[in-house]
Amino acid sequence: MVTVGAETSSLRVREVTKSFRPPGNGAASRLALDSISLSIAAGELVAIIGPSGCGKSTLLRLIAGLDTPDSGEITIGFEQISGPSAERGLVFQDPNLFPWLTVRRNIEAGLVARGVLQEKRDEVQKFMELVGLDGFADAYPHHLSGGMAQRVALARALINHPKVLLLDEPLGALDAFTRMRMQDEVLHLWRGGRAERAVRVRPEIVSEKLLRLWQSRRTTMSLVTHDIDEAIYMSDRIMVMSPRPGRIEWTIPVELDRPRDRSSADFLRLRAEILEHLHFAGKSASGNNGS
Amino acid sequence: MTNALEELPQRAVAANGHRAGAENGLVAPAATAKSRPHTLLLVPVAAGIALAIHFFITRHQLSAGQYYWLFLFIVLGAGLVGAALYPFFSGLRERMHNLSAIFAAAILLLGLWEVITSGLRLLPLPYFPSPAAILDSMINDRGLLFDSTWHSLMMLMNGYVLGVIVGLISGVCIGWSSSIRYWGMPVLKIVGPIPATAWIPLAMVISPSTAVSSAALIALAVWFPVTMLTASGISNTRASYLDVARTFGAKESYLIFRVAIPAAMPNIFIGLFMGLGASFLTLVVAESVGVKSGLGWYVSWAQGWAEYGKVYAALVIMAGFFSSLMTLLFKVRDIVLVWQKGIIKW
């Protein structure tokens, strides 16, 4: 049962191509994603980094089902996706809270949309506490700071218990301090609201099965970000995308123990490695332009 | 202010002393409320001046008006009572700070009007009666005026509610569905801008009763702005709101009723306000042309008998009636759009 649960929330993108026709007559359509393939294991947190316009957001919109690919397929578990659904949550850089609803009603929105508010009403309180907003239940979104608004957006997406949570630069608009605090909060939510200790049990003293249980309780997450530190701090794996047309250029596993120390030697080494890679790519591009 | 104080009647001076005494007894609240004596005195002083004008002008006239002086005395008394209670109620205090000046100005304007009309006789009679004469007309003819106001209200409500319901439905359909927009928008764009009153000849031919046709015309006048603004509000719903709702499993009914319509609400209210304005116009025209009741009918009827006091009395009632309805709609908006408080200035 556990194994099934784990497998059904894995994500596979196979040879997906997507192009857009820019507005205006006769303009040639632009290839945004060129037969991109990737897979994310159940409970895994994968960061996708890359320059602006490399199709990261397009990829997330395709996985969310808001757009349809030109070719290729996207599966969650064994099921091919065919449109948006509550099993794939999406959080944008702009929290996009409904300004006409209070914080509580915004969080409830997903339950209302699925018509299950009556049965799940106590979860609303649980999620408000989880994101530390129980004092703001009746506030309207414009009274909230950027970080608080984004927490509401996360709670609103998580209350549906999505198999996959897609994060499109969710912390991009926050200041550096709020951002670091929110990174911990997102990790906290990723673990299903349990403390760090629960997942830091030494693997050699727990059974394989138990480990997988923890794994499956986590939400599969895909985090699009501009911030290399954020990617290293949070993710299990980092995928680097190249622009125009977007494809996965490089995948780096992040094998650091959590909670991660942003100033540890391993952290910095990994950071330098990624920077070097990106810098090298940039230098060769400018060199081509120059010659 | 200094001039006003010189002309101050005996009563107002006495009241001033009374108020000062009341305030001396309560130092603390007066200090917190930042007492401004002139806001207290504005209304009684203005009423006193208007009374002085009235008695001076009408001292040799036989038909001085039965009620106007009484009205001014009531205003004076209310002003004094307000000044006396001023230190005790913070709500009253705030209200007086806000309203005293504008209220006093209105009363002084009445005085000025009396000087121009029955004092200096600058304007020809019977077209421009004095405020005293208008108040007399209003009170003497109160039965018919009340009846007319009631008929107008019923007619307006029937037409407005019908127009709003149909307008909201057609607006949501046109705004949401592109195929309905394709067929509906041309109709809206061509038929909508025709003033509803232009249909009066046709409406008289078609409809069995003028009441039904008038209500239908009002509904038509309301329908256009409500539909137009609702449709544009719905179709301009931020795409990201709809995307977010889709990612938590929203069906189309949720997208329409829980996302698009709330998002369009500010626009819808602009349509409701425009519709209300259009409904007043259509009501008055329809009543003066066809229907044999209501304030519009009353105005043209009184004008036919050259009783301009009654014409103005009806206009005053219309002003109060229509602005009350506007205020009511503002209150509804404040409740429905409470979430906008702090985002926009209102």
Side-chain angles (χ1 to χ4, degrees):
Chain A
M1 200 232 137
V2 168
T3 332
V4 171
E7 280 175 1
T8 52
S9 59
S10 65
L11 168 73
R12 264 186 106 76
V13 175
R14 241 177 260 125
E15 310 261 308
V16 162
T17 298
K18 176 76 184 172
S19 54
F20 290 104
R21 187 176 292 281
N25 290 335
S29 64
R30 197 169 54 80
L31 202 57
L33 295 173
D34 186 16
S35 79
I36 195 169
S37 297
L38 61 94
S39 66
I40 300 178
E44 195 181 18
L45 200 169
V46 170
I48 300 172
I49 60 174
S52 298
C54 69
K56 296 173 296 197
S57 299
T58 307
L59 179 63
L60 287 203
R61 285 182 66 85
L62 290 173
I63 298 170
L66 293 172
D67 291 328
T68 45
D70 298 339
S71 65
E73 58 168 15
I74 301 169
T75 49
I76 303 287
F78 303 109
E79 222 175 304
Q80 188 169 345
I81 66 150
S82 61
S85 126
E87 67 178 25
R88 275 160 284 127
L90 178 55
V91 177
F92 301 87
Q93 177 175 348
D94 183 327
N96 277 313
L97 301 180
F98 299 144
W100 55 90
L101 297 179
T102 60
V103 165
R104 177 190 293 280
R105 302 223 170 272
N106 261 291
I107 294 176
E108 283 172 357
L111 301 178
V112 174
R114 290 187 300 141
V116 294
L117 179 63
Q118 288 307 320
E119 305 96 273
K120 304 261 174 109
R121 199 179 280 279
D122 13 321
E123 291 218 6
V124 178
Q125 189 58 36
K126 200 189 93 188
F127 271 95
M128 277 203 297
E129 281 164 21
L130 198 63
V131 294
L133 278 160
D134 40 336
F136 294 88
D138 298 319
Y140 282 98
H142 67 270
H143 292 300
L144 303 179
S145 65
M148 272 156 62
Q150 200 55 274
R151 273 187 256 164
V152 177
L154 284 166
R156 181 173 65 172
L158 284 166
I159 200 158
N160 279 331
H161 296 287
K163 289 176 179 171
V164 179
L165 184 61
L166 306 161
L167 304 166
D168 191 356
E169 294 185 47
L171 313 179
L174 306 179
D175 65 88
F177 295 105
T178 315
R179 187 173 187 145
M180 283 195 270
R181 215 175 44 241
M182 288 289 293
Q183 288 168 358
D184 286 324
E185 296 209 21
V186 173
L187 287 173
H188 182 68
L189 294 170
W190 171 58
R191 292 188 298 268
R194 278 177 297 280
E196 189 79 56
R197 267 171 284 116
V199 285
R200 284 194 67 223
V201 178
R202 301 178 65 81
E204 57 267 30
I205 61 167
V206 294
S207 70
E208 179 96 349
K209 203 174 163 191
L210 203 54
L211 198 64
R212 212 178 295 146
L213 174 72
W214 278 319
Q215 187 97 358
S216 73
R217 283 232 188 135
R218 292 176 182 169
T219 313
T220 308
M221 278 197 196
S222 172
L223 168 74
V224 160
T225 179
H226 274 134
D227 182 346
I228 295 169
D229 284 2
E230 184 169 280
I232 301 171
Y233 184 74
M234 296 179 70
S235 66
D236 296 324
R237 228 162 10 120
I238 301 174
M239 293 177 183
V240 181
M241 270 181 88
S242 67
R244 270 178 270 275
R247 52 165 74 91
I248 303 289
E249 200 177 43
W250 194 38
T251 303
I252 317 128
V254 184
E255 285 155 345
L256 303 175
D257 285 338
R258 295 174 207 271
R260 289 174 183 163
D261 181 355
R262 292 172 212 266
S263 56
S264 73
D266 290 337
F267 192 103
L268 294 175
R269 196 177 311 120
L270 194 55
R271 184 170 185 272
E273 196 181 329
I274 295 168
L275 278 174
E276 194 190 349
H277 180 92
L278 293 174
H279 184 61
F280 181 71
K283 220 158 74 177
S284 79
S286 66
N288 285 343
N289 290 343
S291 62
Chain B
M1 192 66 210
T2 332
N3 286 339
L5 279 171
E6 279 166 13
E7 284 184 55
L8 206 62
Q10 216 56 25
R11 274 159 211 274
V13 176
N16 188 15
H18 172 68
R19 186 200 56 81
E23 219 170 51
N24 287 342
L26 284 153
V27 182
T32 52
K34 206 179 170 206
S35 92
R36 287 183 297 175
H38 61 275
T39 58
L40 292 177
L41 286 179
L42 280 175
V43 172
V45 166
I49 292 170
L51 265 177
I53 290 169
H54 179 67
F55 284 129
F56 180 77
I57 285 172
T58 58
R59 67 194 186 281
H60 301 306
Q61 294 178 4
L62 289 175
S63 58
Q66 296 163 270
Y67 302 107
Y68 183 61
W69 65 271
L70 192 65
F71 164 75
L72 288 177
F73 262 120
I74 291 170
V75 172
L76 178 63
L80 293 177
V81 169
L85 297 177
Y86 178 84
F88 303 106
F89 302 100
S90 61
L92 179 71
R93 200 149 47 219
E94 208 169 296
R95 229 158 247 257
M96 281 181 74
H97 275 307
N98 278 336
L99 298 178
S100 286
I102 192 76
F103 214 72
I107 291 163
L108 287 178
L109 215 57
L110 283 180
L112 183 68
W113 184 3
E114 188 160 38
V115 170
I116 292 171
T117 51
S118 55
L120 302 175
R121 297 179 191 280
L122 291 175
L123 296 171
L125 283 172
Y127 307 112
F128 299 98
S130 72
I134 294 167
L135 190 65
D136 278 2
S137 308
M138 197 185 292
I139 290 171
N140 291 333
D141 212 11
R142 58 187 177 275
L144 190 53
L145 274 170
F146 182 81
D147 208 44
S148 301
T149 310
W150 178 251
H151 275 104
S152 285
L153 179 66
M154 284 300 108
M155 172 83 71
L156 190 70
M157 282 299 106
N158 287 338
Y160 187 71
V161 170
L162 181 67
V164 167
I165 291 172
V166 177
L168 285 177
I169 294 171
S170 57
V172 169
C173 293
I174 290 174
W176 187 257
S177 150
S178 53
S179 58
I180 297 180
R181 180 159 52 240
Y182 178 81
W183 298 105
M185 212 51 171
V187 177
L188 188 66
K189 279 187 174 162
I190 290 166
V191 177
I194 301 173
T197 47
W199 296 101
I200 285 177
L202 187 65
M204 282 174 161
V205 175
I206 293 173
S207 164
S209 94
T210 50
V212 171
S213 61
S214 301
L217 284 179
I218 294 169
L220 182 66
V222 175
W223 167 80
F224 173 57
V226 172
T227 306
M228 207 64 182
L229 271 295
T230 304
S232 84
I234 296 279
S235 60
N236 287 331
T237 305
R238 253 167 75 173
S240 54
Y241 290 156
L242 297 169
D243 282 347
V244 164
R246 286 193 185 102
T247 60
F248 48 65
K251 290 182 211 49
E252 191 159 19
S253 61
Y254 186 95
L255 296 180
I256 295 173
F257 291 102
R258 304 274 189 150
V259 181
I261 290 179
M265 237 357 145
N267 257 20
I268 291 174
F269 266 93
I270 296 173
L272 293 180
F273 280 111
M274 289 170 64
L276 194 59
S279 73
F280 297 155
L281 176 75
T282 312
L283 173 78
V284 171
V285 174
E287 281 177 345
S288 45
V289 175
V291 193
K292 290 282 171 276
S293 64
L295 286 170
W297 165 80
Y298 185 93
V299 168
S300 53
W301 172 78
Q303 191 226 356
W305 293 98
E307 296 201 67
Y308 282 88
K310 290 184 178 179
V311 171
Y312 287 100
L315 290 180
V316 169
I317 289 175
M318 266 187 213
F321 173 48
F322 291 159
S323 66
S324 305
L325 289 176
M326 273 286 175
T327 310
L328 192 69
L329 189 57
F330 267 107
K331 295 271 183 231
V332 173
R333 184 204 68 166
D334 290 356
I335 294 167
V336 174
L337 294 184
V338 67
W339 56 270
Q340 278 199 316
K341 214 167 187 169
I343 300 178
I344 58 155
K345 194 174 169 65
W346 58 354

